[in-house]
Amino acid sequence: MNYYYDILINLEEEYYEFYEWEKKDEIIPIKKIPIYKVDHQTILDFLQYEITISNSLLTELIDKTIVKNSKEKLTCLLLTDSKTTLCVELNKNGKVIYKSKLLVEDENNINEISSSFSLTQVDYQTGKLLTKRNNLRRIEKEINIIKLELNNLRLNKNDEKCSYLYYELFHDFNNNYLDKIEKMNEELNKASYKVIHRLYHLINLTNKEKLI
């Protein structure tokens, strides 16, 4: 078994590219981790489906990943096709529970050294297809906060704030309260990142003013 050393990972249920990592994420410094070179289809399967590896492979991987400056050991695996690298963590049944993409420098290093590795046929089963995220992590969060705010406006019937947000979004007036809420919700599905971010910013401003 090949190993890779000294790497940072950000294990999440839904993996994020390095440029989407946030300060609050638990970035784990790994001292030593198993690495397998696989074909590109294997990488695609691990990215797109629920995955459970075989018991025999799980036995090889249990507690083989060592966390730096810690006694903690994980059951993880690096998969690479020498173009794309993915880190996965497994539960006791061999199911992938967390994933992590890598920092650019780490991925480039792995792509280079793995070119000399022999190809490994990883034994696994695919489950259901995972829902694909269409937006960046930040945009998804902003959309969710806007939708929550619109739902609160629907419940609280704050027409002044509702009209303010509606005008900022559409540059128009509408006297029908529920219609304004409905149209703003619909617009979120097709609005540009710039519009979404502005609406999110306005909601934050109005909420802060309310607290002062």
Side-chain angles (χ1 to χ4, degrees):
M1 181 186 298
N2 292 311
Y3 290 91
Y4 191 75
Y5 301 85
D6 298 325
I7 190 172
L8 296 176
I9 59 174
N10 182 17
L11 293 169
E12 304 281 349
E13 290 184 6
E14 183 176 9
Y15 71 90
Y16 299 109
E17 299 291 347
F18 73 93
Y19 49 80
E20 294 189 86
W21 291 12
E22 298 180 350
K23 289 182 179 179
K24 69 176 182 60
D25 293 340
E26 184 183 1
I27 309 302
I28 305 173
I30 298 298
K31 181 178 180 180
K32 178 181 178 182
I33 184 171
I35 179 171
Y36 288 163
K37 183 178 180 181
V38 296
D39 58 27
H40 186 59
Q41 186 58 52
T42 298
I43 297 290
L44 291 179
D45 285 348
F46 273 73
L47 289 173
Q48 297 175 351
Y49 294 91
E50 288 186 347
I51 297 290
T52 303
I53 68 169
S54 66
N55 288 331
S56 58
L57 179 56
L58 177 62
T59 300
E60 294 180 17
L61 298 173
I62 290 176
D63 293 342
K64 290 295 194 302
T65 297
I66 301 173
V67 178
K68 189 178 293 185
N69 301 321
S70 172
K71 294 181 180 179
E72 183 181 11
K73 293 184 178 180
L74 305 174
T75 302
C76 293
L77 171 65
L78 284 177
L79 296 167
T80 182
D81 62 357
S82 295
K83 293 180 180 179
T84 301
T85 301
L86 177 69
C87 177
V88 299
E89 182 179 4
L90 308 156
N91 66 13
K92 63 180 181 180
N93 298 315
K95 183 176 181 179
V96 173
I97 51 173
Y98 299 116
K99 301 174 187 175
S100 175
K101 295 302 287 294
L102 306 180
L103 298 176
V104 171
E105 183 179 357
D106 287 330
E107 183 154 30
N108 287 341
N109 287 338
I110 288 172
N111 290 340
E112 182 177 352
I113 67 168
S114 66
S115 60
S116 63
F117 291 177
S118 298
L119 204 64
T120 299
Q121 295 296 325
V122 175
D123 189 7
Y124 63 92
Q125 295 292 324
T126 58
K128 71 177 183 179
L129 184 66
L130 300 173
T131 302
K132 185 177 180 181
R133 188 163 47 95
N134 295 318
N135 294 313
L136 293 174
R137 185 182 189 183
R138 176 177 62 82
I139 296 298
E140 289 284 353
K141 285 186 174 182
E142 291 181 357
I143 289 175
N144 288 335
I145 288 173
I146 295 169
K147 287 184 175 180
L148 180 63
E149 181 68 18
L150 293 178
N151 186 56
N152 288 335
L153 289 176
R154 184 195 300 273
L155 295 174
N156 299 327
K157 294 184 172 56
N158 185 341
D159 189 54
E160 182 180 0
K161 184 172 183 178
C162 183
S163 296
Y164 169 66
L165 294 176
Y166 185 87
Y167 183 81
E168 289 293 335
L169 188 57
F170 296 108
H171 303 290
D172 194 12
F173 295 100
N174 187 333
N175 293 323
N176 188 306
Y177 186 78
L178 292 178
D179 188 49
K180 284 184 284 192
I181 298 291
E182 188 65 30
K183 285 187 176 181
M184 284 191 284
N185 269 311
E186 290 176 358
E187 186 65 17
L188 283 177
N189 297 323
K190 53 187 177 184
S192 67
Y193 291 171
K194 183 178 180 180
V195 170
I196 290 170
H197 187 62
R198 173 163 174 74
L199 193 57
Y200 167 79
H201 180 65
L202 289 171
I203 287 172
N204 277 344
L205 284 178
T206 55
N207 287 338
K208 286 179 181 178
E209 288 175 358
K210 186 168 58 178
L211 294 174
I212 294 175

